[in-house]
Each structure stands twice: as structure tokens, then as C-alpha cells.
Amino acid sequence: MRIPRGELRRSRVVDDAAAVLRTVLDEELTGYVVFEPQDALLLGETTRGVVTFEDGVPVLAYDTEREVGGRDGLEGFAVTGPTRAAVHAVDADALADAHEVEAFRVPPGEPARVLAGDERLAAKTVDAAPDARREEGRDQSAVESFLADADAIEEIRSEAREEARARASEWGLDDVLADDADDTDSADDADAAAIDAGPDSR
């Protein structure tokens, strides 16, 4: 991915990424921010990440050291403590090609969540995004939240099983399901026996 060199607006060390993301959103910046966690520099390590913006809303994220983009890229430079943030302005047309790289794109609120742990800022950013990207961000957040809720998933599975049993009983399929279960158990027992016996028994 190639991002053109932009006009440096400012470069300073901040306590966390939230202040930078909030300012960029308020300014409706089109360009990019280079994040360099200072703790990594003190340890002799190099950690640098880039987030691009269109009208203040994040579009891409890229970890330049690991060469990884998207959410995985964000996580590479999501560290606590002081961070140097260099804000650059770039013409939207100059970023158009880079913004077509789907593998590096992030939902609008994701940098605020991952880099700053700020849900309010994430929601504000999503609200400021164009309609299509706003839905993209909300849909992904909803899916991630749902997949993280193991109890909810198990409850749905349990309800589905109960409904299947009720339907089977209603349609007189209990015997068929029981036969299928018996056949499956028998096959499993046979496989287990073969495994226990080992190759010498064949």
C-alpha cells in the first residue's frame, strides 16, 4: 500500500490516542496520522502505525513494522502510555487508491475502541461517518459482540434443538430421529473400537 507524503500539521507526544482521534474528527481531517508509542522507543523497539482519515473518519489502519493492516494492524500499535502522533493532511484524491485496499480498511469506530478504549468516541465517530460506512461499523460491532457472548449462542442452539424435537414429535418423526441417533452411536463405537485395537489388529 502506498500513501503519499502529506503536509505535516503537527507532531507531538500525547498521553493517549483518544485526544488525537477526537481532534482529527473535530477538524474533519483528510489525511493520516502516524502513531509511535514512546515506551517501545525506550526499550529499543520500533513500533509505528498509520491510520488514514476522510473528513475526520478513519478508513485504513496499517502496522508498518509487521506489515499488517485492518484491525490486526491496529492491535500492533495499541499500547498504553505516551505516544507521538504526527498529523498529516493529504488531498482526498491522492488517498483514493489506498482507500480501495479492503484488507486494510477498518470500521469507523474501531481505532477509538482499539487504540483508546473509548466507546463514546467510537460512537461519535460512527455517527459522523457516511451512511454506508455507519452501517458497516454498527453491523460489525453487533456481530463481534454477539460472537463474544457464548451464553447467548448456546441459548439459541438449545432453543433450536427444543424446537426441532417438538417439530419431530408433531410430525411423527421421533422414531426416525432415534434410529439415526442409534446409527451414529454405533458408528462412533465402531470407530473407537478400531482406534483402541490399533493397526496391529487389522
Side-chain angles (χ1 to χ4, degrees):
M1 180 182 70
R2 188 176 182 83
I3 296 177
R5 184 177 297 277
E7 173 194 346
L8 179 63
R9 292 284 182 84
R10 57 188 171 275
S11 178
R12 64 185 64 158
V13 175
V14 296
D15 290 336
D16 61 62
V20 179
L21 296 172
R22 191 176 296 110
T23 300
V24 165
L25 179 62
D26 291 341
E27 294 176 347
E28 299 184 354
L29 174 84
T30 294
Y32 61 91
V33 177
V34 179
F35 292 94
E36 290 186 272
Q38 300 300 284
D39 288 351
L41 292 176
L42 292 174
L43 295 173
E45 300 173 356
T46 302
T47 302
R48 184 182 293 112
V50 177
V51 179
T52 70
F53 299 82
E54 188 167 335
D55 296 329
V57 177
V59 180
L60 301 180
Y62 186 68
D63 180 339
T64 63
E65 305 309 312
R66 296 186 301 135
E67 298 185 347
V68 177
R71 182 187 171 88
D72 289 342
L74 280 174
E75 291 176 345
F77 54 97
V79 297
T80 58
T83 298
R84 176 168 291 281
V87 180
H88 299 258
V90 179
D91 185 76
D93 292 339
L95 286 172
D97 289 343
H99 284 177
E100 293 298 320
V101 182
E102 290 291 336
F104 297 157
R105 289 175 70 93
V106 289
E110 207 67 1
R113 291 190 185 95
V114 177
L115 299 181
D118 192 328
E119 284 295 334
R120 284 189 178 181
L121 180 57
K124 182 179 178 181
T125 306
V126 171
D127 288 340
D131 289 345
R133 300 210 58 223
R134 191 180 307 157
E135 292 306 314
E136 162 200 331
R138 285 173 176 161
D139 289 347
Q140 180 157 336
S141 296
V143 169
E144 289 176 349
S145 297
F146 173 75
L147 292 177
D149 191 342
D151 291 339
I153 293 174
E154 183 54 38
E155 183 178 348
I156 290 174
R157 286 176 176 165
S158 178
E159 290 176 358
R161 286 193 292 267
E162 290 298 328
E163 183 175 352
R165 291 192 189 100
R167 293 287 186 182
S169 178
E170 179 182 339
W171 294 338
L173 298 176
D174 286 340
D175 293 339
V176 175
L177 292 177
D179 291 342
D180 286 346
D182 290 342
D183 291 343
T184 301
D185 291 343
S186 297
D188 289 344
D189 290 344
D191 289 342
I195 292 171
D196 291 340
D200 295 338
S201 65
R202 296 179 182 174

